[in-house]
Amino acid sequence: MLSFWDGGEGHLARVAHLVTLLRERGDRCLIISSSAKAARVRTLTPEVEIVEVDTRPESRLPAKRLPQYSHAFRHAQRRLALGFNDQDFVTANTGRVLEVLRAFRPHVVVNDYHDTLRIAAEAAGVPVVSLAMAHGLRSGPTLGAWKIHELADRPLPECLRSFNHTRAQWNLAPYTDERETFEGDLNLIPSCPELDPVQQRTNDVYVGPVMTPPAPPQRRPRRRPLVVSYLAEGNNRPDSAYPRALAALVRAERNLEFAVMGSARYARYFRTGETFLGMVPAQRYLDLLDEADLVITHGGTTLVHALERSVPVLCLPWTSSEAAWAVRAEEHGAGMLYPAYRRPLEWRVDDAVHPSTPLAGHWSLPISAQGLSRCVRRILEEPGHRAAAADLAERLSASRSRFDLVDLVRGAGR
């Protein structure tokens, strides 16, 4: 098995767990990492076999000012904002990945959100196992059913041209939707059908959370409830009001304990210590979730791991897919979408994204310490949230126990 990693520690953690399971059964697994990221891989996953390969072209794309991120952007809009609508860059990146695949000749590639890997794997004739909560979106609502009516049938910009230009270089059929970049011959969805905002297809398999399952409940007695915060960073996401608002809440709230995970954008508001933990290894991250009474998350992998531990969630999403998962958790009564995301979308033209096409989004969400406090108190004081999270925990556990991950991955590679 071979997998790539170049950022996104939640993605690395679950791939590393899968690697552990495969190695225990006698398979060889490699994680390909750029030289810049290899040290971090070794810190987080010291047992994993790592090969350093710089798969990104040497030329750097011009820096662009990013707009306030909107949960209503589809993936193409984010890529446009990052300047990735660039045929030469995508083709060069695909070519470097293809060189790696031809050199190592893996039986199977696990793709956890690497956008040119599928093209390279198809060109090399290597089967792909996709591991991502966001795949399957082509079979369901693109922006979450609760917002799609606000688009008034206006199309969103997409960036198919670059991917299809690249696909043509290796005589591959064109994509019809840029979200196909994350699909594989087999799609492992680390969740359960009840929590999924989209529709299952024949090559989608719900496997429950990928990573160590929760420990038997042996919660330490606490004088005060524990609130764990982890909102993913990186990927050139714009500044958010959340770190400042969270820091103000931590200073003002004396009846709660907090454990805050994060890196650079939190450093100016917190000192490393008991409250601010920085970025921690995967097992420490899971241990914190085991102890939590509430988890604040952007709505991705952490949402699933919290619910599997019967812990309700407060969600402040980055992307449309994360917002859709957050709404599903709220509909089940297992948490809350931060209320500001219920505001109607605004249409704007922003040159940083597209010079002439109006985009739908939340361009300046009011995130405040007072708003966070109201949500936190409501979730903690209403016992129904914990009970609803426990119900979803049972469903996630059932999905986890239904399949053997090693057998699934091995089967895709035959």
Side-chain angles (χ1 to χ4, degrees), residues 80-139:
L80 281 169
L82 296 176
F84 271 64
N85 202 28
D86 184 297
Q87 296 178 357
D88 293 338
F89 182 90
V90 173
T91 299
N93 196 28
T94 302
R96 292 198 177 197
V97 174
L98 182 57
E99 289 177 8
V100 173
L101 295 180
R102 287 173 171 164
F104 289 96
R105 296 194 296 180
H107 290 91
V108 65
V109 168
V110 171
N111 183 18
D112 196 327
Y113 246 64
H114 189 292
D115 50 34
T116 56
L117 180 54
R118 179 183 170 185
I119 303 175
E122 285 185 74
V126 179
V128 175
V129 172
S130 173
L131 181 60
M133 289 179 66
H135 61 54
L137 284 175
R138 287 193 304 127
S139 59

Side-chain angles (χ1 to χ4, degrees), residues 313-330:
V313 291
L314 171 61
C315 301
L316 291 85
W318 285 108
T319 66
S320 59
S321 58
E322 292 163 358
W325 291 93
V327 169
R328 289 296 290 154
E330 184 176 83

Side-chain angles (χ1 to χ4, degrees), residues 15-60:
V15 168
H17 179 73
L18 183 58
V19 165
T20 300
L21 298 179
L22 285 158
R23 290 178 66 225
E24 288 173 352
R25 302 267 281 269
D27 295 327
R28 185 185 182 200
C29 306
L30 298 176
I31 289 184
I32 304 295
S33 174
S34 69
S35 301
K37 301 288 187 179
R40 187 60 179 160
V41 180
R42 291 190 176 91
T43 299
L44 294 174
T45 57
E47 303 300 320
V48 171
E49 188 173 355
I50 303 163
V51 177
E52 293 185 30
V53 179
D54 289 316
T55 58
R56 295 283 184 186
E58 293 179 4
S59 60
R60 290 287 179 260

Side-chain angles (χ1 to χ4, degrees), residues 1-2 14 18 22 107-113 117-118 121-122 126-136 138 179-190 200-207 210 403-414:
M1 186 206 82
L2 184 146
R14 61 189 180 193
L18 183 58
L22 285 158
H107 290 91
V108 65
V109 168
V110 171
N111 183 18
D112 196 327
Y113 246 64
L117 180 54
R118 179 183 170 185
E122 285 185 74
V126 179
V128 175
V129 172
S130 173
L131 181 60
M133 289 179 66
H135 61 54
R138 287 193 304 127
R179 288 164 294 181
E180 292 179 70
T181 57
F182 300 121
E183 295 193 340
D185 302 278
L186 172 66
N187 297 324
L188 301 183
I189 304 179
Q200 185 175 16
R201 293 166 299 159
T202 55
N203 62 336
D204 293 345
V205 180
Y206 293 97
V207 294
V210 177
F403 298 98
D404 183 290
L405 285 173
V406 173
D407 287 344
L408 288 171
V409 173
R410 282 177 166 176
R414 292 193 179 105

Side-chain angles (χ1 to χ4, degrees), residues 61-67 69 73-87 90 115 155-163 178 235-236 350-359:
L61 293 169
K64 288 196 173 186
R65 180 186 64 83
L66 289 174
Y69 206 80
F73 283 12
R74 59 196 283 190
H75 187 70
Q77 290 176 286
R78 182 177 73 84
R79 292 185 58 82
L80 281 169
L82 296 176
F84 271 64
N85 202 28
D86 184 297
Q87 296 178 357
V90 173
D115 50 34
L156 296 172
E158 45 79 17
C159 57
L160 277 177
R161 185 188 314 168
S162 295
F163 287 111
E178 67 275 356
N235 295 327
N236 292 298
D350 191 301
D351 289 341
V353 182
H354 200 282
S356 59
T357 303
L359 302 177

Side-chain angles (χ1 to χ4, degrees), residues 91-359:
T91 299
N93 196 28
T94 302
R96 292 198 177 197
V97 174
L98 182 57
E99 289 177 8
V100 173
L101 295 180
R102 287 173 171 164
F104 289 96
R105 296 194 296 180
H107 290 91
V108 65
V109 168
V110 171
N111 183 18
D112 196 327
Y113 246 64
H114 189 292
D115 50 34
T116 56
L117 180 54
R118 179 183 170 185
I119 303 175
E122 285 185 74
V126 179
V128 175
V129 172
S130 173
L131 181 60
M133 289 179 66
H135 61 54
L137 284 175
R138 287 193 304 127
S139 59
T142 57
L143 303 175
W146 60 291
K147 283 289 184 184
I148 201 165
H149 63 279
E150 296 184 20
L151 299 179
D153 297 322
R154 298 169 74 174
L156 296 172
E158 45 79 17
C159 57
L160 277 177
R161 185 188 314 168
S162 295
F163 287 111
N164 286 339
H165 171 85
T166 297
R167 291 179 67 80
Q169 311 308 303
W170 285 281
N171 299 313
L172 301 175
Y175 287 148
T176 58
D177 189 301
E178 67 275 356
R179 288 164 294 181
E180 292 179 70
T181 57
F182 300 121
E183 295 193 340
D185 302 278
L186 172 66
N187 297 324
L188 301 183
I189 304 179
S191 184
C192 61
E194 293 81 5
L195 197 53
D196 195 340
V198 299
Q199 305 157 15
Q200 185 175 16
R201 293 166 299 159
T202 55
N203 62 336
D204 293 345
V205 180
Y206 293 97
V207 294
V210 177
M211 281 170 67
T212 308
Q218 293 179 334
R219 295 169 58 84
R220 295 183 299 168
R222 288 185 175 276
R223 292 186 299 107
R224 300 176 294 176
L226 174 64
V227 177
V228 173
S229 167
Y230 178 42
L231 266 67
E233 304 179 51
N235 295 327
N236 292 298
R237 287 168 172 151
D239 287 336
S240 165
Y242 175 72
R244 182 192 298 272
L246 178 64
L249 174 65
V250 170
R251 289 193 298 270
E253 183 55 72
R254 301 299 180 187
N255 295 317
L256 300 174
E257 293 182 36
F258 290 87
V260 177
M261 289 178 279
S263 52
R265 70 178 62 197
Y266 291 85
R268 75 188 78 167
Y269 304 108
F270 292 93
R271 292 182 179 178
T272 302
E274 292 184 5
T275 297
F276 179 55
L277 306 174
M279 297 301 297
V280 300
Q283 191 53 53
R284 176 61 176 141
Y285 155 84
L286 293 173
D287 290 343
L288 283 168
L289 299 187
D290 279 331
E291 299 177 19
D293 295 281
L294 168 65
V295 171
I296 305 177
T297 170
H298 59 284
T301 302
T302 299
L303 175 145
V304 176
H305 289 308
L307 293 176
E308 191 188 25
R309 289 158 171 75
S310 303
V311 179
V313 291
L314 171 61
C315 301
L316 291 85
W318 285 108
T319 66
S320 59
S321 58
E322 292 163 358
W325 291 93
V327 169
R328 289 296 290 154
E330 184 176 83
E331 289 172 348
H332 280 279
M336 184 187 303
L337 180 72
Y338 191 73
Y341 291 91
R342 293 291 183 182
R343 300 170 68 190
L345 301 177
E346 304 171 58
W347 288 90
R348 292 191 186 182
V349 173
D350 191 301
D351 289 341
V353 182
H354 200 282
S356 59
T357 303
L359 302 177

